[in-house]
Amino acid sequence: MVDFKKLLETKEYQFLKTDKHLGDKIILLGLGGSHAYGTNIETSDVDIRGVALNSKSDLIGMSSFEQRVNEATDTTVYAFNKIIELLLNTNPNTIEMLGLKPEQYLFLSPIGQELLDNKKLFLSKRAIYSFGGYANQQLRRLQNAIARDTLTQTERETHILNTINNMMFDIKARYEKFENGSIKLYTDKAIQEEMDTEIFMDINLSHYPLRDYKSIWSEMNNVVRDYSKIGKRNNKKDEFHLNKHCMHLIRLYMMCLDILEKEEINTYREKEHDLLMNIRNGEFMSETGTMKQEFWDLLNEYEKRFEYAKENTSLPANPDYKKVEEFVISVNERAVRGEY
């Protein structure tokens, strides 16, 4: 059993104390990835996720801080203002930070506890599109991997295009100035010699923030990169990753249904642990390397529940921005005064 709090005291994690944007500004540190979901195995990496207050100079000066990523330790710490922006859109990778079990929080300041106490402020029907988009992306990656021997290069490119287009809803919600221009994606006859068709872009942007464009481009690039990775499935290691993708697809639906049906954020999947681990361990994979019908039946059940929940949820269309703003102002005023 890993003592995660002791792990944070090791040399590899000293940046949490020495980085000028972190240190005493950190208000929350918790587990991420498989350890957060309860689906970890012996070889699972340790992912740490956190939140740190913006400094006085970030808020009323000339410096800026959005997040710190330490790849060596798989650690990401978001700036407070940035995490609020992501939470307002029910971003799956960040909303899960608010749904850990108490013992999975490795550090929690009084302001960090306030953030947890106010987590329902961020729940809205936007979860339909954010979680639905992520689940759709996982499904298409799964379909692409399983059909690797039958999909033509043209069909594969269409899969990638559809995934990116589904992702664009979330992008437009997160980058408000996106409405000042447009990015059109489509397939056409390839210029690359080794391809029949490929994805092209028509971009019409003016006076557009460079950093926002960089983030959008990075997200689209990640989709293309992930498809390339999972398409190369020719050994047990790749089958292991395929099972992991199947597990995460079902887990996304589980978490989204909790939000839509119960207005709860439950990251650790205690009740469904055995089912998820059975998927991860390959019990739903056939000898031919494809998924058994039982998996598709299970997926179909969750998709039906999701369709019903999105039509009948009692969540508001959008978060209560006024209450969120009051909370953010309260926290940032204390950050400026150094009262944390």
Side-chain angles (χ1 to χ4, degrees):
M1 187 73 177
V2 179
D3 188 330
F4 297 106
K5 291 186 178 180
K6 277 191 176 180
L7 185 65
L8 293 187
E9 296 298 321
T10 61
K11 182 180 179 181
E12 288 76 16
Y13 290 89
Q14 284 302 295
F15 68 92
L16 291 171
K17 297 180 179 179
T18 59
D19 189 296
K20 66 178 183 178
H21 291 289
L22 307 179
D24 63 354
K25 297 181 183 67
I26 293 176
I27 61 171
L28 180 154
L29 288 174
L31 296 177
S34 59
H35 285 280
Y37 314 136
T39 58
N40 55 291
I41 58 177
E42 189 175 343
T43 57
S44 293
D45 294 330
V46 176
D47 298 274
I48 303 296
R49 298 291 177 265
V51 182
L53 296 176
N54 289 88
S55 66
K56 181 178 180 178
S57 60
D58 295 335
L59 297 169
I60 59 175
M62 298 181 67
S63 64
S64 63
F65 166 51
E66 289 198 343
Q67 66 185 50
R68 280 290 178 268
V69 178
N70 183 275
E71 294 183 358
T73 60
D74 289 323
T75 299
T76 301
V77 181
Y78 297 91
F80 179 74
N81 281 2
K82 182 63 176 180
I83 199 71
I84 294 296
E85 176 187 329
L86 294 169
L87 293 174
L88 283 170
N89 287 295
T90 331
N91 177 276
N93 289 332
T94 52
I95 200 75
E96 66 186 32
M97 293 170 60
L98 305 185
L100 303 177
K101 295 199 299 181
E103 60 267 30
Q104 292 180 310
Y105 291 104
L106 310 181
F107 175 78
L108 197 61
S109 75
I111 294 179
Q113 185 61 56
E114 285 183 48
L115 178 60
L116 297 185
D117 292 342
N118 283 284
K119 59 187 175 184
K120 285 199 173 182
L121 289 179
F122 303 102
L123 301 186
S124 72
K125 289 182 180 178
R126 290 190 176 193
I128 294 168
Y129 306 102
S130 58
F131 274 86
Y134 271 69
N136 187 278
Q137 179 179 336
Q138 288 280 61
L139 176 59
R140 290 192 178 280
R141 290 166 66 188
L142 170 61
Q143 291 170 328
N144 183 62
I146 289 175
R148 71 195 189 285
D149 296 326
T150 58
L151 278 181
T152 65
Q153 185 274 319
T154 297
E155 290 170 330
R156 179 184 176 88
E157 199 75 352
T158 300
H159 270 298
I160 299 173
L161 176 62
N162 288 338
T163 299
I164 296 175
N165 280 334
N166 283 320
M167 187 180 70
M168 293 304 282
F169 178 91
D170 186 46
I171 286 178
K172 290 178 180 178
R174 283 187 283 123
Y175 301 98
E176 293 181 5
K177 294 183 179 179
F178 193 78
E179 62 190 23
N180 292 342
S182 64
I183 297 179
K184 179 184 177 183
L185 300 167
Y186 57 94
T187 57
D188 204 344
K189 184 176 180 180
I191 294 177
Q192 310 293 328
E193 292 184 2
E194 68 276 12
M195 304 173 74
D196 296 319
T197 64
E198 64 178 306
I199 299 171
F200 291 86
M201 304 172 64
D202 291 340
I203 303 177
N204 178 26
L205 298 174
S206 59
H207 197 65
Y208 194 80
L210 174 63
R211 289 173 180 81
D212 280 4
Y213 180 74
K214 176 178 177 292
S215 297
I216 293 170
W217 170 254
S218 176
E219 292 185 40
M220 291 192 290
N221 182 58
N222 286 341
V223 172
V224 177
R225 183 194 62 194
D226 288 344
Y227 265 88
S228 298
K229 282 183 179 179
I230 200 168
K232 300 173 182 178
R233 184 169 64 89
N234 53 17
N235 56 44
K236 289 294 181 182
K237 181 179 178 181
D238 293 316
E239 288 184 1
F240 169 82
H241 288 303
L242 181 60
N243 286 320
K244 188 176 178 181
H245 281 295
C246 291
M247 177 193 69
H248 282 306
L249 173 58
I250 299 297
R251 182 192 60 79
L252 279 169
Y253 277 116
M254 290 173 174
M255 191 169 178
C256 185
L257 286 169
D258 277 348
I259 291 174
L260 297 178
E261 294 175 348
K262 306 175 186 176
E263 299 187 17
E264 295 178 356
I265 306 170
N266 295 311
T267 305
Y268 189 84
R269 308 310 308 183
E270 190 166 9
K271 292 180 180 179
E272 304 95 348
H273 173 269
D274 290 348
L275 171 61
L276 292 173
M277 293 307 292
N278 286 342
I279 298 173
R280 179 167 191 167
N281 293 331
E283 294 190 22
F284 284 79
M285 178 176 276
S286 68
E287 293 180 356
T288 60
T290 59
M291 303 310 293
K292 297 177 181 177
Q293 185 59 42
E294 289 91 331
F295 173 78
W296 301 112
D297 291 342
L298 178 67
L299 178 61
N300 186 50
E301 288 179 18
Y302 275 100
E303 287 178 331
K304 286 181 179 177
R305 280 184 62 188
F306 173 72
E307 290 299 319
Y308 180 83
K310 76 178 188 181
E311 297 297 331
N312 294 277
T313 182
S314 58
L315 287 174
N318 293 295
D320 188 330
Y321 290 106
K322 188 175 187 303
K323 288 185 177 179
V324 173
E325 184 179 47
E326 288 172 356
F327 172 60
V328 171
I329 290 173
S330 171
V331 170
N332 283 336
E333 282 180 340
R334 282 175 277 170
V336 169
R337 293 194 299 260
E339 297 174 356
Y340 52 83

